[in-house]
Amino acid sequence: MGVVNVTPDSFSDGGRWFTPGAAVAHGLELVEQGADLLDVGGESTRPGARRVAVDDELARVLPVIEQLVAHGATVSIDTTRAVVAQAAVERGASIINDVSGGLADDDMYGVVARTGAVYVAMHWRGHADVMDDLDDYDDVVTDVRRELAARVAALRAAGVRDEQVVLDPGLGFAKAGSSNWPLLARLPELVADGFPVLVGASRKRFLGHLLAGPEGEPAPPLARDRATAAVSALAAAAGAWCVRVHEVAGSADAVRVAAAWQGAHGSVTDDDELAVDEDARTGGSTR
């Protein structure tokens, strides 16, 4: 999943793709580099970010979605607002990627049920301006699984089918630092809960802290892509359905390596080898 930020204040790219033309061109470039999906967002969720008006969010994302879909791209809308999700699906988006898991808007699950769109429910405890204060867990993996299970129960109650649901452990959201690593190390436990899992580690703070220089200064976002690719390989090998990244080429290669690694583990039949080769040729989906 390639990230297309149509925002002036993204932590990772500083508004480079803020105009519709630039965002569409960037999205198509990500597809050429191996992205299977494009995640279009019009509101920054970086730590401390303030919310934007709903009309501004709509004006940012809808023209980009329409043009990307017209070019044949599979598009996800990155939003916490039901009205934005509805409008995006009407313009051709097939996935709703909600970092709040439905907790930010009571109408979101109704949109998901009515449209039949694939829905990514991320683990979330609060908006960007307060989320760092909510990094408090007994056991982060157990707590995240329990809270995501509550989201699944609410989705089912709203009429959303299980086959629509993807789960995301919410790296970096109410998880400022060390809380992220157990979620990655124990990712198979989340995969075992039976839903496709999306991993979004790309360029996040915990990677910057890992790569800090000798003076302790975190590596800047653009210097975190190689570490992101490493996470992509490990997440794919652990069974993740998809990885969400800003720099696609490196992670697409990493996913191909993971697919080949898995295919070569143990006894491999000719059919297995063909499947791995075909997966690599078609862009390295983690599915």
Side-chain angles (χ1 to χ4, degrees):
M1 177 184 281
V3 178
V4 181
N5 287 320
V6 195
T7 59
D9 56 347
S10 166
F11 84 94
S12 67
D13 52 42
R16 291 178 64 193
W17 325 116
F18 185 46
T19 65
V24 171
H26 181 56
L28 296 178
E29 180 182 17
L30 295 180
V31 170
E32 291 180 0
Q33 292 174 358
D36 299 298
L37 315 169
L38 296 176
D39 195 37
V40 178
E43 182 177 42
S44 176
T45 54
R46 62 179 172 77
R50 294 184 177 182
R51 304 222 64 188
V52 302
V54 63
D55 288 344
D56 289 341
E57 187 180 355
L58 287 165
R60 291 173 181 181
V61 300
L62 295 185
V64 176
I65 291 169
E66 288 178 331
Q67 292 183 56
L68 288 173
V69 170
H71 281 89
T74 302
V75 174
S76 167
I77 175 63
D78 178 2
T79 188
T80 62
R81 290 174 165 139
V83 64
V84 176
Q86 178 74 50
V89 172
E90 289 173 356
R91 272 118 178 127
S94 54
I95 301 170
I96 300 168
N97 183 17
D98 179 1
V99 300
S100 81
L103 292 171
D105 191 329
D106 291 339
D107 295 329
M108 181 64 83
Y109 290 172
V111 170
V112 178
R114 287 194 304 273
T115 63
V118 171
Y119 180 70
V120 181
M122 196 191 79
H123 178 263
W124 185 87
R125 287 182 166 183
H127 285 291
D129 58 340
V130 298
M131 65 182 181
D132 281 355
D133 298 328
L134 304 174
D135 185 358
D136 183 18
Y137 302 92
D138 292 326
D139 178 289
V140 65
V141 178
T142 300
D143 292 350
V144 165
R145 289 176 71 189
R146 182 181 65 251
E147 291 170 32
L148 284 175
R151 296 299 89 222
V152 170
L155 284 160
R156 287 169 172 163
V160 177
R161 293 171 286 110
D162 280 7
E163 55 265 33
Q164 291 176 252
V165 179
V166 175
L167 300 181
D168 181 340
L171 301 175
F173 288 80
K175 307 167 194 73
S178 60
S179 297
N180 295 282
W181 293 110
L183 288 166
L184 289 170
R186 295 166 59 187
L187 192 63
E189 295 178 37
L190 187 58
V191 172
D193 289 335
F195 292 90
V197 174
L198 173 69
V199 172
S202 184
R203 295 181 179 173
K204 289 191 173 174
R205 288 178 296 170
F206 73 100
L207 296 179
H209 290 301
L210 176 72
L211 305 173
E215 302 299 321
E217 185 69 19
L222 294 179
R224 304 170 190 172
D225 286 333
R226 287 170 295 189
T228 297
V231 172
S232 294
L234 293 167
W241 167 74
C242 188
V243 289
R244 180 183 184 274
V245 298
H246 298 85
E247 193 277 316
V248 165
S251 281
D253 286 349
V255 168
R256 292 186 182 99
V257 169
W261 188 298
Q262 288 176 308
H265 181 70
S267 177
V268 181
T269 67
D270 290 342
D271 287 343
D272 291 332
E273 290 173 348
L274 288 171
V276 171
D277 289 344
E278 176 64 15
D279 185 58
R281 187 187 67 78
T282 55
S285 169
T286 66
R287 293 185 291 276

